[in-house]
Amino acid sequence: MTTANSAPVTITLTTNNQTSGWQQDKTLQISNEGIAIYLEQDSQFRLRKIQMAARSIEKLGVAHAQLAGDDWDEASQWAFALGFSCVNKLESITFCGAAELVERLNNKLAVYAWSRDLTNQTPAELYPLKLAELTSNYIKNLAPAHVKTRLIQGKALQDEQWQGIYNVGKGSVNEPCLLELDFNPSNDENTPVAACLVGKGITFDSGGYSIKSSAGMFDMKCDMGGAAVVAGALALAIKQGLAQRVKLYLCCAENMISNDAYKLGDIITYKNGVTCEVANTDAEGRLVLADGLLAASETGAPLIIDAATLTGAAVLATGGDYSALFSLDPAAAAKAHNAAKASNEALWQLPLEPWHQDKCPSVFAETANSRTQKGGGAGGASNAAGFLSRFVNNEGAGWLHFDLAAAYNADATSLWAAGATGLGIATIADLISTP
């Protein structure tokens, strides 16, 4: 067997023991020919076990995995890819099978690698305008004839009434911005927008004056994970032949403390007239997403999807193993569940009703952005989704909110390396690809 800094290691998948002695019946069976992943026929949680095996193989020091044999189908190869890939090793896999299958998996792996690497970058490398620039360049390169972008930054945000992004980001030396990216394969300006994607792009979150602890702040480079996921979803859909018009909105800012920073008790008046009292400057994600949802709603798109690393409450509820889904539209939620199942991505719907809008009351404004209890109090993830629902049209018809509890791992687990996971990309790409 070869390991780091050497030739690729051949990895086979089998339902037959490849060795005898102490390795017999072990999931990983190592020989001079390579490594076999042994699973019994009809093994329960098969894909999960493959992903765990891949994580173990990577930790052996294998630099490049070459999958081989007839037992690898598309789902099992992708499960292996998710487990094996890690920082500095995001595309170190050779897939097997028909040329069309290999191309599809390589395209998917490339998008996930781009999105995960984007999320893993340091706050010094990835400030708001840089996030917008890298995203614009990447997606333009995929379809240069069909992509147009518009960037609104700094004081221009206030002039155009994108008050959430402006207020959250005004305390940083790095200007906040709103990126609008229009993928229009028809190149006809009159073509209806079929779907809008909105991503939270907080490139660093100190918590503002509701400052986080050092431990709580350490991984906050990942707070733009929602932007990376929706951008990745659009990129993947384009690679897979997306044929309808989709707009992408990234709400980009740094949440910092300075003499210009927004404060507790400030009131933000949004473009639709909703007034919001700032009860917690660390509940900033929903403040910037509100602008993105308003912009998306202006297009009249029948499908609006936002994604964000929004609440610790969603992580507590799901254990960080699932993305949390919120919707006021049962039909749209059902489509999301079907897309997640087809993509083998874990998704769990949490409660959301119209009355969740009233869960963060304010004496001085129509709503507050949170409550003053730790973590926003009970039901924090649903209350955040309720806040967002104020900024979509048609009583939430066609709107899906993904709270990305599984987007990033501070430490390695049995399934994932430390860092961004990219979970949600395939599900959202599927949703925007279906007329």
Side-chain angles (χ1 to χ4, degrees), residues 95-419:
F95 296 109
C96 62
E100 183 180 319
L101 170 61
V102 170
E103 181 182 14
R104 191 161 61 243
L105 285 166
N106 280 334
N107 284 338
K108 192 174 182 181
L109 186 64
V111 169
Y112 271 69
W114 175 80
S115 176
R116 293 170 76 178
D117 180 67
L118 194 67
T119 307
N120 290 338
Q121 290 186 29
T122 71
E125 294 172 315
L126 195 71
Y127 45 90
L129 290 172
K130 189 70 171 181
L131 172 58
E133 176 189 348
L134 291 176
T135 300
S136 296
N137 291 343
Y138 183 69
I139 297 179
K140 278 182 178 178
N141 286 338
L142 296 178
H146 306 303
V147 174
K148 293 181 179 178
T149 61
R150 181 170 182 255
L151 188 67
I152 309 161
Q153 64 189 80
K155 288 283 188 181
L157 289 164
Q158 190 176 35
D159 295 339
E160 297 194 27
Q161 300 183 64
W162 303 122
Q163 300 287 2
I165 300 170
Y166 174 75
N167 275 277
V168 170
K170 69 181 183 178
S172 173
V173 295
N174 292 310
E175 286 189 326
C177 62
L178 173 62
L179 171 67
E180 176 187 340
L181 186 149
D182 184 2
F183 171 74
N184 187 359
S186 73
N187 291 330
D188 180 354
E189 288 298 323
N190 296 316
T191 299
V193 178
C196 287
L197 302 176
V198 180
K200 174 186 172 184
I202 301 295
T203 56
F204 186 72
D205 182 17
S206 71
Y209 280 107
S210 305
I211 192 167
K212 294 177 181 289
S213 66
S214 180
M217 205 185 300
F218 182 72
D219 292 311
M220 283 300 103
K221 64 182 181 182
C222 81
D223 215 19
M224 39 61 63
V229 164
V230 291
L234 178 55
L236 180 59
I238 291 171
K239 280 178 172 280
Q240 293 174 340
L242 179 63
Q244 56 187 3
R245 188 177 186 182
V246 175
K247 284 195 172 186
L248 170 72
Y249 296 91
L250 299 190
C251 310
C252 308
E254 280 186 339
N255 187 20
M256 302 293 285
I257 296 172
S258 74
N259 61 309
D260 293 322
Y262 77 128
K263 305 170 185 68
L264 285 87
D266 282 353
I267 293 179
I268 299 171
T269 301
Y270 281 94
K271 198 171 185 179
N272 64 347
V274 170
T275 56
C276 170
E277 183 181 18
V278 178
N280 184 349
T281 61
D282 196 22
E284 85 297 332
R286 65 201 71 178
L287 295 176
V288 302
L289 282 176
D291 282 336
L293 290 172
L294 285 170
S297 294
E298 287 178 356
T299 70
L303 175 64
I304 296 175
I305 300 171
D306 76 76
T309 50
L310 201 65
T311 65
V315 179
L316 289 173
T318 65
D321 296 312
Y322 293 74
S323 293
L325 173 69
F326 297 86
S327 182
L328 293 168
D329 184 337
K335 288 181 181 179
H337 280 293
N338 290 337
K341 186 175 181 180
S343 302
N344 295 305
E345 293 191 323
L347 185 67
W348 190 38
Q349 189 169 359
L350 289 176
L352 178 63
E353 298 290 347
W355 43 260
H356 278 104
Q357 288 188 359
D358 302 321
K359 285 290 189 174
C360 297
S362 168
V363 174
F364 302 101
E366 290 176 65
T367 185
N369 70 325
S370 185
R371 289 184 285 180
T372 54
Q373 295 100 314
K374 184 178 180 181
S382 294
N383 299 342
F387 176 89
L388 293 178
S389 71
R390 291 176 176 271
F391 302 94
V392 290
N393 292 339
N394 304 319
E395 299 180 332
W399 168 58
L400 297 167
H401 164 52
F402 286 75
D403 196 330
L404 299 175
Y408 186 91
N409 292 305
D411 301 299
T413 70
S414 61
L415 288 171
W416 298 97

Side-chain angles (χ1 to χ4, degrees), residues 3-15:
T3 55
N5 301 316
S6 56
V9 174
T10 299
I11 313 293
T12 57
L13 181 65
T14 182
T15 56

